[in-house]
Amino acid sequence: MANVIIKSDERREQEAAVLRQFGGGNVNNSDRENREYAEEINARMNEVKREVGLR
């Protein structure tokens, strides 16, 4: 059985924005790796925003 993560539209857009800001990611990485990095960056940024009261 596979684990499935269901993402909200807002979360998908935030991750896409991160990828755009970094020029689509590293050309030496696969698309999957770049999306995973964007997901991690987005998650950490959301944590920081919560800590400083921006969300």
Side-chain angles (χ1 to χ4, degrees):
M1 182 178 275
N3 294 330
V4 177
I5 298 173
I6 299 176
K7 298 181 183 179
S8 68
D9 291 336
E10 178 184 9
R11 183 171 165 187
R12 287 181 193 271
E13 180 53 40
Q14 289 171 345
E15 290 171 9
V18 168
L19 274 176
R20 284 192 303 273
Q21 291 170 351
F22 284 95
N26 187 326
V27 296
N28 295 323
N29 294 340
S30 68
D31 288 340
R32 180 175 162 259
E33 287 174 312
N34 284 328
R35 284 192 310 272
E36 287 178 2
Y37 290 137
E39 181 178 353
E40 183 66 25
I41 291 167
N42 187 52
R44 291 183 187 271
M45 288 304 300
N46 285 336
E47 287 176 19
V48 170
K49 288 177 184 178
R50 270 193 302 276
E51 288 176 8
V52 298
L54 292 176
R55 283 199 157 215

